Structures are given as structure tokens and as C-alpha cells.
Amino acid sequence: MSDEKRQVSRRQFLNYTLTGVGGFMAAGLLISPVRMAIDPVLKHDEGGDFANAGIAIDDITADPQRIDWTIDQVDGWYESEVTRSAWVYRNDDDEIVAFSPICKHLGCVVSWEGNDDYPDQYYCPCHDGRYYKNGVNVPGTPPLQPLDVYEQEERDGMLFLGKIQPHEEA
Amino acid sequence: MKWTSVDLQKYDQAKEYIDTVIVPLAPFQIGILEASAKNADQYDILTLFSRELEKELMGRIMLAPTYTYIAAAEKSEEVKRLNGWTNHFKKQPFKQVLYISFDPSWRKIASDLEGEFIWLPTASLKDADPAAVKGIIRDQTMQTVELIKSFW
Ligand code: FES
């Protein structure tokens, strides 16, 4: 047990070190426009783990829309910019739902109506995984769980998204 | 999946689903400034772009380390080595081996490659602003995703 633990933390340390060094070198090497592209373009407010997803609450409709935003990720002492994405829509109960686009099978990115044969579903191009509009996986396709959802909050009319959590009603 | 110990573990559990290898091909040289700098910039863009591609399709592709070669090298020699890589991958077994590159000189010789070659037209990012660069890379990623899907 304790052996196992020690191993994990040693591996983690190695990981941090490698990420730190690798990330640093990559950052130095990138040409300026590319570097600027992965630097913060839009500064968002600090405030817990929530980040401004860049969409006004009023602009969210019953049709799922894909949104992308960036967050600062701190991993040990190494800080980087990460792009996050979500599909947001307003459900039948007029609640806003933001799904993570990461397929629960092996992690490809799903798209709303990504396949003409399956309108009104999320589609994963990798192994034809599908999900209903409410995020629940279509039985008989490879994913075994519904799409994860983001924690969310409204601030000044804007949608703020936080941690990714497993879908509840499954 | 990327060529990291974490992802290799995942690959090992799901080999039947991850049937495609992507190998970025990048020329390099350290010599005449202008040409060398251009290769270096493209190397960065190719790296960025392959990572994006991997993110979109990680459940079905394995991103191999970038294959680098001296820009002026004889391509027929490189083809032999690349075919060696392809044979190595196919033993896994991977069904598809896809090469991606900005280097147009592969196009003439692509039919000698045992994998499929995808040529990416060079995106000129030098004068674009950061938001535009993001957009360009995203567009090119999505176009390439479509192309890769056509091989499946
Ligand atoms: S990764 Fe989505 S179906 Fe396999």
C-alpha cells in the first residue's frame, strides 16, 4: 500500500518536472503569433473555479451551441492556458445545461448533429458513439455513460462554468 | 492518444478501437537563415496542429513522435525509413498509418509510401493576430478531421 503511494507520488513529481520543463521550452520556442494565440486572449475574472465562458445567458437557446474559452491551469508551480469547450442549451424545464464535449468512450470530441443520419443527437466520429439531447448515451453505441456536465453559475448576465462533473440523472 | 506512458496504458486496454497512427513529418536544417527559420516555424505549427488533431480524435488515433529529416535529404531514402516505421505500426496492428506534413516535396513520392500522405497547405501565420491564428489552426484541424474520417 504505502509502496504504491510512494510510487505514485514519485511518478507525479517526475510528471510535474517534465511538464514544467517541456512547457517552458515549448513556450520559448513558439513563434510570436502562435505563442500569443495560446496566451490569454480574453482576461477573465478571478473568482473560485468558475470562468467566464463568453456567452450571455440570453443568447442560450434550445439549440445546443458550442462554446470555447480559456482558463489558467496551475499544475504544481507550472501554470498554463488551457482551452475548454462545452455544448450549452436550454432544456425543456428552461434550465441551462453545459455538457463537456469529451466522449465517455475514449475521449474524442462529440458534436451536436455531427452526423446527418442522427439529427437531434450528439455524435462521436471515432466509433459512432451517440448521445440524446439530454446528454444520455444511446444504448448500443460504445459510450456507457452520459456526457459530463459543467458546474455553472450566472454572473452579470454571463454564463460562468466551473468543474466538470458526472451527469446526475443516469 | 499521445506517445506518453499514461496514454500507452490506455492504448493497451483499447487496442481494437485505436486503429490509426498519425505521424507528422517535418524537415529541418540549420543553415541559411531564412530557410532554416521557415522550417523552424513550420515545425512549431505542425506540433501545435497535431496536438489539436489528437485532442479531437484521441479515442481512435495514436500520435507518433514527429519524424524529422534534413530538408535537403534524398526523399527516396527517407521513404525507405518511413516504410520501416509503417511496418512497425502495422504489426500492432494499426490499420491506418497517416503522415501529415507541410512539406510539398512528399507529394511527388507519396505513392511509394506504404501509409497515406496528407499534405497540409502552409498556413501563413506570421502576420495574423492571435485570435486569427487560433481560428486558422482550428479550421485546418477540422478540415483534416474530415479527411481522416474519410479513411475510416
Ligand atoms: S471515442 Fe466516442 S465512440 Fe469511441
Side-chain angles (χ1 to χ4, degrees):
Chain A
M1 253 337 239
S2 72
D3 227 344
E4 172 100 325
K5 248 189 192 156
R6 206 184 311 141
Q7 220 175 10
V8 168
S9 64
R10 194 191 303 137
R11 191 185 312 138
Q12 264 170 355
F13 175 73
L14 185 68
N15 245 336
Y16 289 151
T17 318
L18 290 177
T19 324
V21 173
F24 173 71
M25 293 193 322
L29 286 170
L30 289 171
I31 59 163
S32 58
V34 177
R35 186 182 64 227
M36 277 145 61
I38 52 178
D39 275 352
V41 177
L42 297 159
K43 279 281 173 205
H44 46 73
D45 308 355
E46 295 297 331
D49 288 331
F50 287 89
N52 189 340
I55 185 168
I57 297 287
D58 290 344
D59 291 338
I60 300 172
T61 64
D63 283 322
Q65 310 176 47
R66 184 183 154 123
I67 49 170
D68 302 278
W69 70 101
T70 52
I71 56 160
D72 292 322
Q73 185 170 284
V74 182
D75 188 8
W77 63 82
Y78 175 67
E79 192 176 331
S80 58
E81 276 288 321
V82 192
T83 302
R84 293 269 187 119
S85 308
W87 286 96
V88 287
Y89 81 116
R90 211 176 267 279
N91 70 11
D92 295 342
D93 301 327
D94 208 30
E95 294 159 347
I96 287 166
V97 186
F99 290 122
S100 154
I102 307 298
C103 182
K104 295 299 281 180
H105 178 224
L106 289 171
C108 294
V109 176
V110 304
S111 307
W112 173 246
E113 302 193 324
N115 185 319
D116 295 342
D117 294 341
Y118 305 105
D120 289 326
Q121 289 185 359
Y122 289 95
Y123 178 76
C124 176
C126 286
H127 316 98
D128 301 314
R130 288 184 280 132
Y131 304 82
Y132 299 113
K133 194 174 184 181
N134 65 3
V136 172
N137 49 304
V138 174
T141 70
L144 298 175
Q145 279 138 22
L147 291 171
D148 290 339
V149 287
Y150 281 98
E151 277 180 344
Q152 49 153 304
E153 197 169 282
E154 181 185 339
R155 287 186 207 167
D156 305 324
M158 297 295 287
L159 179 68
F160 276 66
L161 297 178
K163 288 204 190 72
I164 295 178
Q165 298 194 315
H167 198 295
E168 280 155 23
E169 73 216 84
Chain B
M1 306 284 155
K2 295 178 291 293
W3 193 64
T4 60
S5 58
V6 175
D7 281 4
L8 286 167
Q9 258 159 41
K10 290 189 216 153
Y11 169 65
D12 204 57
Q13 307 287 307
K15 280 194 181 185
E16 70 272 34
Y17 290 108
I18 300 155
D19 64 357
T20 303
V21 188
I22 305 243
V23 190
L25 310 179
F28 83 102
Q29 57 187 310
I30 303 177
I32 303 162
L33 175 62
E34 205 180 318
S36 311
K38 189 172 167 226
N39 284 161
D41 284 350
Q42 294 209 341
Y43 181 88
D44 282 339
I45 299 166
L46 189 65
T47 307
L48 211 58
F49 171 76
S50 348
R51 272 193 233 147
E52 284 296 307
L53 206 57
E54 190 272 339
K55 254 197 244 161
E56 282 294 319
L57 300 174
M58 68 156 87
R60 189 154 174 188
I61 66 177
M62 171 62 80
L63 178 63
T66 300
Y67 180 92
T68 43
Y69 48 94
I70 302 279
E74 188 53 60
K75 281 286 175 319
S76 53
E77 291 299 316
E78 301 297 337
V79 166
K80 271 186 225 152
R81 277 197 72 212
L82 272 180
N83 286 342
W85 282 39
T86 304
N87 290 335
H88 171 77
F89 297 134
K90 292 222 162 144
K91 270 186 225 140
Q92 264 311 301
F94 283 107
K95 283 207 209 77
Q96 290 286 351
V97 181
L98 307 179
Y99 301 106
I100 54 173
S101 182
F102 290 120
D103 181 353
S105 63
W106 288 105
R107 293 207 288 177
K108 282 173 243 131
I109 207 162
S111 53
D112 297 342
L113 286 170
E114 276 160 32
E116 300 291 338
F117 177 73
I118 297 175
W119 181 64
L120 309 163
T122 322
S124 172
L125 298 178
K126 268 245 159 64
D127 307 311
D129 68 274
V133 170
K134 264 192 171 166
I136 293 168
I137 292 188
R138 169 111 201 121
D139 281 354
Q140 203 161 41
T141 306
M142 293 324 287
Q143 281 171 29
T144 313
V145 164
E146 286 307 311
L147 203 62
I148 293 175
K149 283 202 264 179
S150 71
F151 289 111
W152 288 345

